[in-house]
Amino acid sequence: MVHLLRLVGARALCARRVGSPLLPPPTRAISQQAQRQMDTLRPKVREFVERTVRMCQPAEVHVCDGSEAENANLLNQMAESGVLEPLTKYDNCWLARTDPADVARVESKTFIVTEEKRETVPIPRKGRKGMLGNWMSPKALEHAVAERFPGCMRGRTLYVVPFSMGPVGSPLSKIGIELTDSPYVAASMRIMTRMGSKVLETLGDDDFVKCLHSVGRPVPVSKKPINNWPCNPENTIIAHVPSKNEIISFGSGYGGNSLLGKKCFALRIGSTIARREGWLAEHMLILGITNPAGHKRYIAAAFPSACGKTNLAMLQPSLPGYKVECVGDDIAWMKFDDKGVLRAINPENGFFGVAPGTSSATNPIAMKTIFSNTLFTNVAKTSDGGVYWEGLEKEVDTSVGIVDWHGDPWTTGSGAPSAHPNSRFCAPAAQCPIIDPQWESPEGVPISAILFGGRRPLGVPLVYEAFNWQHGVFLGAAMRSESTAAAEHKGKVIMHDPFAMRPFFGYNFGHYLAHWLSMEQRGTPATMPKIFHVNWFRKAATGGFLWPGFGENTRVLDWVLRRVDGEDCAQESAIGLVPKPGSLNLEGLKEAVDMQELFSIPKEFWQQEVSAVAQYLDEQVGEDLPYPIVEELEHLRQRVEKL
Ligand code: TSX
Ligand code: MN
């Protein structure tokens, strides 16, 4: 009775909201069972759920416990409603096809909400468009929410998804609660995060990050969803409110737009929490590496897209006696401990990896990870109930039939790719055969080195080391990578992507740089991670790659670790410390490598690089660019002039 009154009262409240249409009554009151579930929630959680129920008017509420039985119900129910297809060739693997209008993150509709614009983004120089994030005022967000959310979950079930980013109970972990009307999101969050009752128990009466998500298609739908994938691309918005630890996402069911623990929480909101609390939330893989002497270290590495970050995180070493283990492939939360050692956790619980290009040749470990308990999205399907994508040509029997990611028959000659280029696997990290024994360590793993990288066909050597922390921060700021950019560009362009964080900054990039620079004061000099820049993608004048890459990158990591050990195997160059001649271990390398060309530092190229980076940082960061970065740029310019 009490609950009924609450709902009625809420409806009146919704109807009074300025600018929102009068809402018809909910299709039905939520079940008594759901009410009982909601009654078990702690006051803060319950208030969040009840407020959302009043606004969004779902037909039903389900509080996720994270159990196997609950998961099986979700999956079977999605199979019945045509959202998922079972992939009968594998154990508990499923295929989702999205509406082709909902296949990727939408940066133009992603906002950070602060009182002052400058908290979110630096003010670009006159006439320049800011490329370091989108700002929205709290008023504009209020309006955007009022226009979209009232009644948006009518006819659907609201799933309450309690999740922990990081091992449950770790001092480095943070808890979120995602309210979503997408069962696909609930099932994916169970893979990508620690999800369920144990999280609510740990939360107690503490605060949590409030995550609200709706596909934005109340039932009955105005038009039949394509592929049974409801979404609302015209009205999509992904908003982050750092001051309230809130994320609000509407209109997209895909990946980073809807699995709010990942990019939205662990990077955007995470970076703002990290700044306040004095740590780092970064777009980095974490790997453990043991050398032939049995000495184990951990490396964190940031790469823009299309550099093979997941492949590096699961590297199969070519050098005898080396062992690589995986802590994470996408995000690192790093904090200096009371001894001044930088410690990292992977806040995630799974891999949400790009499928095309993944094969036994490029990443045999991933191939051993993703064929059980995995949700595939927008990959192609074989007639024997398996998956297919570009890169698997040599691994799938050509006698099988293939349907593409739209569900249409496909053959090699079709022209268009079989799988969407951004198609994904979503697989539990625990299934990775080389998952690190310490990957769930509550105190995190100690980081000895940080790598920044990029896909640089010209001018940038295989590896070089920063002279010091300040120079290392500059290397992160100056990151660029080749990418097949926006549709209007045909060819490949070298894009700026500082710290591989360009789409993920939760606050002003100038302030972010100042925060990184300040980290030097928190670390103990002897154990401060050394910073390196790597480039596996340099090409010869004749066109081919100069470096074999993949497992052979172990040779670069070996040199990095020897530098960490203090070995005298580096010499100064204009751009940083490069390997002394003969110090990179090339023993047993089958391919002939032109070391001269691989490590050359062409004066003209670097003059252009300096001016491109200078122009970018001046135009984009302007007044907010910390002086030490200006200083590093000027020193680099002077060293390059002497080449
Ligand atoms: O992931 C890659 N890595 C990192 C591996 C640990 N890729 C794939 C990038 C696409 C996402 C690479 N591609 C790497 C690399 O180190 N290097 C290259 C370029 C390359 C491609 C093919 C060959 C060599 C280099 N193979 C032959 O020429 C036979
Ligand atoms: Mn990523």
Side-chain angles (χ1 to χ4, degrees):
M1 189 56 181
V2 174
H3 304 301
L4 209 70
L5 283 176
R6 211 182 274 143
L7 275 174
V8 171
R11 200 151 60 234
L13 196 137
C14 282
R16 261 187 273 117
R17 194 181 277 276
V18 225
S20 81
L22 263 179
L23 290 168
T27 35
R28 58 188 157 95
I30 61 171
S31 68
Q32 288 199 334
Q33 192 197 341
Q35 285 295 350
R36 277 197 298 273
Q37 274 192 336
M38 283 164 68
D39 289 344
T40 67
L41 299 171
R42 301 287 187 125
K44 285 175 186 168
V45 182
R46 184 164 152 179
E47 197 273 331
F48 178 42
V49 175
E50 287 177 349
R51 183 157 49 83
T52 303
V53 167
R54 290 197 294 270
M55 176 167 71
C56 302
Q57 301 189 4
E60 187 55 292
V61 175
H62 176 83
V63 180
C64 291
D65 61 16
S67 66
E68 278 294 341
E70 174 186 84
N71 189 237
N73 276 336
L74 273 173
L75 294 167
N76 290 326
Q77 171 213 314
M78 282 190 277
E80 265 164 49
S81 60
V83 179
L84 293 182
E85 275 185 53
L87 291 162
T88 53
K89 190 170 171 179
Y90 318 118
D91 175 28
N92 191 31
C93 289
W94 306 78
L95 170 62
R97 292 194 188 98
T98 72
D99 182 325
D102 190 22
V103 294
R105 285 185 295 104
V106 270
E107 282 176 27
S108 62
K109 297 175 180 190
T110 302
F111 298 89
I112 309 291
V113 180
T114 51
E115 287 290 341
E116 296 295 327
K117 183 171 183 178
R118 189 133 173 211
E119 297 172 67
T120 294
V121 280
I123 311 303
R125 296 290 183 198
K126 268 197 198 61
R128 295 290 154 177
K129 186 189 177 314
M131 306 287 280
L132 292 164
N134 302 311
W135 172 75
M136 186 182 273
S137 72
K139 267 272 170 299
L141 175 65
E142 204 180 307
H143 190 76
V145 169
E147 276 185 327
R148 288 168 178 79
F149 279 90
C152 70
M153 295 183 184
R154 292 161 110 310
R156 298 193 187 279
T157 296
L158 166 64
Y159 297 92
V160 178
V161 182
F163 65 96
S164 174
M165 297 313 289
V168 177
S170 158
L172 294 169
S173 298
K174 302 277 175 196
I175 287 174
I177 300 199
E178 179 162 352
L179 308 184
T180 177
D181 56 7
S182 163
Y184 167 90
V185 167
S188 302
M189 287 292 284
R190 184 171 181 268
I191 297 171
M192 292 308 296
T193 73
R194 283 85 173 175
M195 185 272 259
S197 310
K198 57 187 183 294
V199 175
L200 285 180
E201 286 157 26
T202 308
L203 177 65
D205 290 320
D206 290 350
D207 279 319
F208 53 91
V209 175
K210 295 187 181 72
C211 307
L212 171 58
H213 169 254
S214 173
V215 296
R217 284 284 172 212
V219 176
V221 284
S222 44
K223 60 176 195 283
K224 194 182 175 312
I226 298 169
N227 290 329
N228 302 303
W229 183 270
C231 60
N232 191 338
E234 297 81 36
N235 295 303
T236 292
I237 185 171
I238 301 103
H240 309 70
V241 192
S243 63
K244 294 158 86 177
N245 280 348
E246 258 179 45
I247 301 161
I248 299 171
S249 170
F250 184 93
S252 168
Y254 198 85
N257 300 332
S258 68
L259 314 180
L260 301 185
K262 194 177 179 64
K263 306 302 190 183
C264 298
F265 180 166
L267 289 177
R268 298 196 192 96
I269 290 292
S271 66
T272 68
I273 299 174
R275 183 189 183 208
R276 285 200 291 273
E277 297 182 353
W279 49 278
L280 299 166
E282 300 300 326
H283 193 201
M284 290 180 180
L285 66 86
I286 308 164
L287 62 81
I289 177 162
T290 310
N291 72 8
H295 188 185
K296 181 164 190 178
R297 262 77 55 99
Y298 291 91
I299 295 175
F303 291 88
S305 52
C307 288
K309 201 163 131 207
T310 302
N311 300 344
L312 184 64
M314 301 179 186
L315 189 80
Q316 289 226 290
S318 63
L319 281 178
Y322 265 99
K323 181 161 89 176
V324 165
E325 288 160 296
C326 177
V327 176
D329 79 329
D330 198 38
I331 300 174
W333 281 359
M334 306 192 287
K335 186 177 189 172
F336 286 97
D337 66 14
D338 52 10
K339 297 195 179 76
V341 173
L342 187 64
R343 290 191 166 267
I345 63 163
N346 167 16
E348 301 194 280
N349 188 51
F351 304 114
F352 187 66
V354 174
T358 307
S359 70
S360 301
T362 60
N363 195 337
I365 303 295
M367 295 298 279
K368 291 187 179 124
T369 305
I370 61 175
F371 293 112
S372 55
N373 311 307
T374 296
L375 296 181
F376 293 92
T377 303
N378 288 341
V379 301
K381 189 183 174 207
T382 60
S383 53
D384 60 345
V387 292
Y388 186 76
W389 52 73
E390 282 50 47
L392 290 181
E393 292 81 0
K394 290 182 183 155
E395 298 179 40
V396 171
D397 190 333
T398 45
S399 69
V400 299
I402 293 171
V403 291
D404 67 13
W405 68 280
H406 297 286
D408 299 326
W410 182 92
T411 55
T412 316
S414 293
S418 64
H420 187 277
N422 192 36
S423 57
R424 301 280 169 153
F425 53 79
C426 177
Q431 291 181 184
C432 178
I434 61 160
I435 198 73
D436 192 82
Q438 292 298 306
W439 86 284
E440 300 196 275
S441 155
E443 67 270 27
V445 297
I447 298 297
S448 299
I450 294 172
L451 313 185
F452 295 122
R455 183 182 269 267
R456 301 302 303 264
L458 295 172
V460 179
L462 177 63
V463 58
Y464 57 101
E465 180 187 338
F467 295 120
N468 52 51
W469 184 260
Q470 176 174 310
H471 182 227
V473 176
F474 169 76
L475 295 185
M479 279 170 67
R480 301 173 75 191
S481 196
E482 184 184 66
S483 66
T484 336
E488 59 265 29
H489 301 276
K490 273 270 154 54
K492 291 173 174 169
V493 233
I494 309 291
M495 305 279 282
H496 293 272
D497 189 356
F499 292 79
M501 282 286 282
R502 196 194 48 76
F504 307 119
F505 292 119
Y507 62 97
N508 183 315
F509 173 51
H511 303 163
Y512 170 97
L513 285 172
H515 182 60
W516 259 84
L517 289 165
S518 78
M519 285 296 121
E520 196 174 7
Q521 271 78 62
R522 294 183 183 262
T524 301
T527 54
M528 197 67 184
K530 288 187 186 295
I531 300 179
F532 300 81
H533 189 281
V534 298
N535 173 28
W536 323 130
F537 301 96
R538 193 165 186 179
K539 284 182 170 170
T542 48
F545 287 108
L546 284 163
W547 179 248
F550 300 96
E552 304 297 359
N553 294 335
T554 316
R555 301 172 191 278
V556 174
L557 302 185
D558 166 69
W559 186 81
V560 162
L561 292 181
R562 281 154 50 211
R563 286 301 299 155
V564 168
D565 289 338
E567 191 181 315
D568 180 23
C569 56
Q571 63 185 29
E572 289 199 12
S573 82
I575 62 173
L577 300 164
V578 294
K580 279 188 176 172
S583 71
L584 198 69
N585 182 355
L586 299 179
E587 232 175 272
L589 186 60
K590 288 186 188 65
E591 299 83 353
V593 173
D594 184 340
M595 296 293 279
Q596 284 298 327
E597 207 176 345
L598 187 57
F599 281 96
S600 71
I601 301 169
K603 180 170 182 175
E604 234 183 291
F605 171 91
W606 278 94
Q607 284 174 323
Q608 287 169 23
E609 185 69 8
V610 168
S611 47
V613 171
Q615 183 179 349
Y616 178 77
L617 293 178
D618 178 59
E619 288 181 359
Q620 291 293 319
V621 198
E623 299 297 308
D624 291 324
L625 190 64
Y627 182 71
I629 302 298
V630 179
E631 191 177 61
E632 286 301 327
L633 198 49
E634 196 44 42
H635 288 164
L636 174 63
R637 195 196 302 275
Q638 286 164 17
R639 291 191 305 263
V640 167
E641 277 317 305
K642 289 196 210 121
L643 275 170

